[in-house]
């Protein structure tokens, strides 16, 4: 696959600068950077997975919004990539997503039905994998899940309502045999996002943290033998503010890859 050297070095320098900003504001806390590569070609992704410059850490976590685009890219790119599905999730896509062996997390689960579909198809996939593949290809693990919460209450945003609905969905994911509840995700309102600085408190981030604490208590995950449920919040505009508010995962696209083409103009490969 062809990788343009000047494009590659621009991408590497962008991601390096984002990583440095994350490290500086996170003060040693482990914050996962998901590079959001939707509508960007596989050549761009490969330039970051296999950096051609010495001393540069490969970037392995990538986020995609469209199920078909993710499926195609996952087939074309190395298996050590850890994919995140972060887009609006449709029931009809759950089967194909669950069959991507190196899908790290589905971050946009907002209904019980979709959780049940992902669980069922992941279970089927794990059992066919276990019986048919060679010992050298490891059986995929449980699928990590972020429950998406609509913290801004906007009708245009997906996500389940804060409170009882969020708790019930998290409980169901936690009980599903082939899913692992990793934490909660929010997108939040654009206006709040643009107004966010490391010094201001974004209401969406406050709300997600409250939901996380609620779920942790309701599911009995606090204290010894408990588990830290992570917060996936923060994008290009507001990731530093999100980290100050306790984010464990930021999803950054345009600051790394530049502005995105329209869906009609997007190319999977250059
Ligand atoms: C596109 C997208 C991002 C990245 O947005 P940028 O502003 O380009 O960083 C993050 N999260 C979700 C859910 C997205 O759809």
């Amino acid at each position: 696959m062809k990788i343009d050297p000047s494009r590659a070095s621009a991408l590497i320098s962008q991601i390096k600068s984002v990583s440095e900003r994350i490290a500086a504001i996170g003060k040693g806390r482990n914050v996962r950077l998901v590079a959001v590569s939707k509508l960007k070609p596989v050549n761009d992704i490969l330039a970051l997975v296999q950096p051609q410059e010495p001393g540069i850490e490969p970037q392995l976590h990538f986020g995609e919004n469209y199920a078909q685009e993710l499926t195609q890219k996952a087939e074309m790119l190395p298996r050590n990539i850890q994919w995140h599905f972060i887009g609006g999730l449709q029931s009809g896509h759950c089967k194909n997503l669950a069959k991507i062996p190196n899908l790290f997390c589905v971050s946009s689960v907002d209904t019980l039905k979709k959780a049940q579909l992902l669980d069922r198809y992941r279970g089927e996939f794990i059992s066919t994998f276990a019986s048919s593949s060679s010992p050298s290809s490891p059986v995929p693990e449980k699928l990590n899940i972020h429950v998406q919460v609509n913290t801004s209450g906007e009708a245009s945003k997906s996500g389940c309502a804060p409170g009882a609905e969020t708790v019930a969905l998290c409980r169901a994911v936690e009980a599903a045999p082939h899913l692992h509840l990793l934490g909660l995700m929010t997108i939040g309102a654009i206006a709040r996002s643009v107004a966010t600085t490391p010094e201001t408190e974004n209401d969406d981030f406050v709300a997600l943290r409250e939901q996380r604490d609620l779920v942790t208590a309701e599911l009995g995950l606090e204290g010894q033998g408990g588990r830290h449920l992570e917060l996936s919040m923060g994008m290009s505009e507001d990731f530093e503010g999100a980290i100050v508010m306790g984010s464990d995962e930021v999803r950054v696209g345009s600051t790394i890859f530049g502005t995105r083409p329209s869906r009609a103009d997007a190319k999977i490969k250059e």
Side-chain angles (χ1 to χ4, degrees):
M1 192 180 307
K2 108 180 153 311
I3 295 177
D4 175 59
S6 68
R7 174 68 177 157
S9 72
L11 288 169
I12 287 168
S13 106
Q14 295 299 344
I15 205 158
K16 201 162 156 262
S17 120
V18 169
S19 301
E20 284 166 2
R21 286 166 64 188
I22 292 171
I25 202 105
K27 300 190 177 76
R29 214 157 50 77
N30 216 350
V31 178
R32 183 187 309 122
L33 168 61
V34 176
V36 177
S37 46
K38 63 182 175 215
L39 307 176
K40 293 290 176 175
V42 284
N43 314 62
D44 277 6
I45 299 171
L46 197 61
L48 294 172
V49 172
Q50 294 173 351
Q52 300 297 302
E53 291 177 25
I56 300 291
E57 285 285 309
Q59 167 71 26
L60 296 177
H61 287 270
F62 288 88
E64 291 283 339
N65 280 55
Y66 308 104
Q68 199 191 348
E69 180 179 343
L70 170 54
T71 305
Q72 284 179 288
K73 286 175 167 174
E75 279 168 7
M76 296 166 78
L77 287 164
R79 266 290 183 91
N80 62 339
I81 293 178
Q82 313 244 268
W83 293 105
H84 296 242
F85 184 79
I86 63 172
L89 182 63
Q90 293 170 27
S91 299
H93 292 143
C94 290
K95 186 173 186 175
N96 285 340
L97 286 175
K99 288 195 288 190
I100 298 174
N102 51 333
L103 181 64
F104 179 80
C105 186
V106 177
S107 290
S108 40
V109 173
D110 58 351
T111 67
L112 180 60
K113 183 182 173 200
K114 294 174 210 174
Q116 287 169 335
L117 287 169
L118 287 169
D119 182 51
R120 177 173 132 207
Y121 292 123
R122 192 64 169 189
E124 285 182 15
F125 181 56
I126 291 173
S127 55
T128 54
F129 219 87
S131 59
S132 72
S133 54
S134 67
S136 60
S137 48
V139 176
E141 297 162 16
K142 284 186 181 192
L143 186 53
N144 287 318
I145 300 292
H146 288 142
V147 165
Q148 184 176 352
V149 185
N150 185 352
T151 51
S152 60
E154 295 165 288
S156 62
K157 290 263 158 39
S158 28
C160 60
E165 202 178 308
T166 294
V167 172
L169 183 51
C170 288
R171 208 186 285 284
V173 169
E174 181 71 4
H178 308 295
L179 304 180
H180 174 75
L181 179 67
L182 200 56
L184 303 181
M185 183 274 244
T186 187
I187 297 179
I190 298 284
R192 289 179 187 162
S193 161
V194 173
T196 299
T197 70
E199 290 77 37
T200 58
E201 294 215 326
N202 174 313
D203 290 343
D204 289 303
F205 301 159
V206 175
L208 196 68
R209 204 163 62 176
E210 285 172 3
Q211 292 305 302
R212 191 266 315 273
D213 294 344
L214 175 69
V215 171
T216 300
E218 292 284 322
L219 271 59
L221 299 174
E222 68 267 87
Q224 265 220 324
R227 200 161 89 233
H228 173 78
L229 294 178
E230 63 179 45
L231 300 171
S232 174
M233 56 189 198
M235 324 202 296
S236 285
E237 286 289 349
D238 56 14
F239 69 86
E240 284 157 315
I243 292 169
V244 172
M245 301 290 295
S247 180
D248 301 287
E249 174 185 279
V250 294
R251 310 175 308 266
V252 180
S254 43
T255 298
I256 297 166
F257 295 100
T259 50
R260 287 179 282 272
S262 69
R263 262 185 102 176
D265 291 337
K267 285 198 219 94
I268 289 270
K269 191 174 178 205
E270 272 188 342

